[in-house]
Amino acid sequence: MGILNLMPNKEATEQQWLRLIGPQAANFKVQFITTASYTSKRTDPAYLKQKYHAGLPQQLDALIITGAAFGQKKYTEILYWQELCDIMEQTERQAIPVFYSCWAANAALFHKFGIPRVQYQQKVSGVFPHQVNPHPLTQGLPSVCNLPHSRNAESNQVLVQQQPQLNILLHADQAGATYITDQQQNAYLLAHPEYEIDTLYQEYLRDTARGLKPQLPQYDPFSAQPNMAKKEPCWQQHGSLLLTNWFRYIGLIV
């Protein structure tokens, strides 16, 4: 299974996703991937050469594509946009199921279904309750589960709901369609179950330091009490379950 890591902080993102995959990693080999057309400026090239495969490997059973730090950029402004489109098309031709996360999910919905993003006037940041629709991909989740969101735009909700090939599995009033699947076993997750308990608050501090005047993350226990003891948040368990369900759904595990 490949993980195309588009985040600037490669090592932290690796740890987050490997934690969500958890014991299931014993069932397959995990190969981290980076783009061949663009080299990250925030990661040591020697580290990338040692641990990452540049571009899509020839042999791949499944792929995870992480989010990316491109909140307000147009897709065509991304230096590796064409390569990412080629990867999405190649996985479709080869029937390789893909788990798209956050920005990558929005990008895939645009490229594959022509659904554009709608920019928010104010960044959506918080831990929101989601209604869970019964499906093999949501098996084991509570009827309402809390997941963190942090983004400046979302795929046009009307067009998502009107697209007959898409099935909305998780939905939040404050953040719209959050977990979506299509007819090719691909999954699109707009939330951040990989986040630590204080990640939203740290993003709030970062945006404040940049002079962006953000709102405090909504319904986030740590943002409300920054001095509270750090612990594993419930959403990491939900994220692990979502991934395990997807691995089983695509036949990667039994």
Side-chain angles (χ1 to χ4, degrees):
M1 188 193 69
I3 300 180
L4 177 55
N5 187 354
L6 302 180
M7 292 297 288
N9 190 337
K10 303 295 184 190
E11 293 185 66
T13 304
E14 292 166 21
Q15 294 170 6
Q16 290 172 347
W17 282 96
L18 288 175
R19 180 180 57 227
L20 290 186
I21 294 171
Q24 301 302 337
N27 295 300
F28 43 77
K29 178 183 177 182
V30 175
Q31 173 64 66
F32 284 100
I33 303 167
T34 187
T35 51
S37 57
Y38 175 77
T39 302
S40 173
K41 298 178 181 178
R42 300 189 186 182
T43 306
D44 184 352
Y47 179 82
L48 290 176
K49 184 176 181 180
Q50 177 185 13
K51 194 165 185 177
Y52 279 71
H53 187 282
L56 210 61
Q58 289 188 346
Q59 294 185 338
L60 204 62
D61 295 310
L63 179 65
I64 293 171
I65 304 182
T66 74
F70 298 129
Q72 300 188 38
K73 274 193 174 184
K74 295 180 180 179
Y75 294 124
T76 53
E77 295 176 349
I78 309 305
L79 294 177
Y80 53 74
W81 175 247
Q82 187 55 56
E83 180 183 0
L84 183 59
C85 292
D86 292 342
I87 287 173
M88 288 189 278
E89 292 167 7
Q90 184 177 342
T91 57
E92 189 166 344
R93 288 194 303 271
Q94 297 179 3
I96 299 171
V98 184
F99 190 102
Y100 296 97
S101 175
C102 198
W103 180 87
N106 279 325
L109 292 172
F110 172 72
H111 179 69
K112 295 160 67 72
F113 302 102
I115 299 175
R117 284 186 305 172
V118 177
Q119 291 287 334
Y120 298 134
Q121 291 185 345
Q122 182 75 31
K123 180 180 181 180
V124 168
S125 177
V127 181
F128 304 122
H130 295 71
Q131 296 297 320
V132 179
N133 293 330
H135 189 277
L137 288 174
T138 58
Q139 185 176 353
L141 285 177
S143 58
V144 177
C145 71
N146 294 325
L147 293 171
H149 286 259
S150 177
R151 60 179 189 269
N152 292 286
E154 68 178 8
S155 295
N156 185 294
Q157 292 293 292
V158 173
L159 296 181
V160 169
Q161 295 172 11
Q162 291 178 347
Q163 174 53 249
Q165 297 184 54
L166 298 177
N167 184 10
I168 299 172
L169 305 181
L170 296 178
H171 182 276
D173 291 341
Q174 302 91 337
T178 295
Y179 193 42
I180 305 165
T181 188
D182 63 20
Q183 297 174 346
Q184 286 76 45
Q185 297 183 312
N186 300 308
Y188 309 81
L189 180 63
L190 278 303
H192 284 284
E194 77 278 12
Y195 272 12
E196 305 287 354
I197 195 168
D198 64 337
T199 300
L200 287 176
Y201 183 68
Q202 294 301 326
E203 289 185 350
Y204 165 77
L205 294 179
R206 177 201 64 195
D207 291 346
T208 299
R210 292 176 177 175
L212 299 179
K213 299 181 179 179
Q215 294 181 352
L216 200 67
Q218 294 180 283
Y219 313 113
D220 176 34
F222 194 89
S223 295
Q225 293 181 305
N227 295 323
M228 69 184 295
K230 294 182 181 180
K231 59 182 180 179
E232 179 183 326
C234 65
W235 58 72
Q236 289 181 0
Q237 300 172 16
H238 296 331
S240 293
L241 182 57
L242 288 174
L243 275 181
T244 298
N245 285 343
W246 184 68
F247 295 151
R248 187 173 292 113
Y249 188 64
I250 64 177
L252 200 60
I253 63 174
V254 294

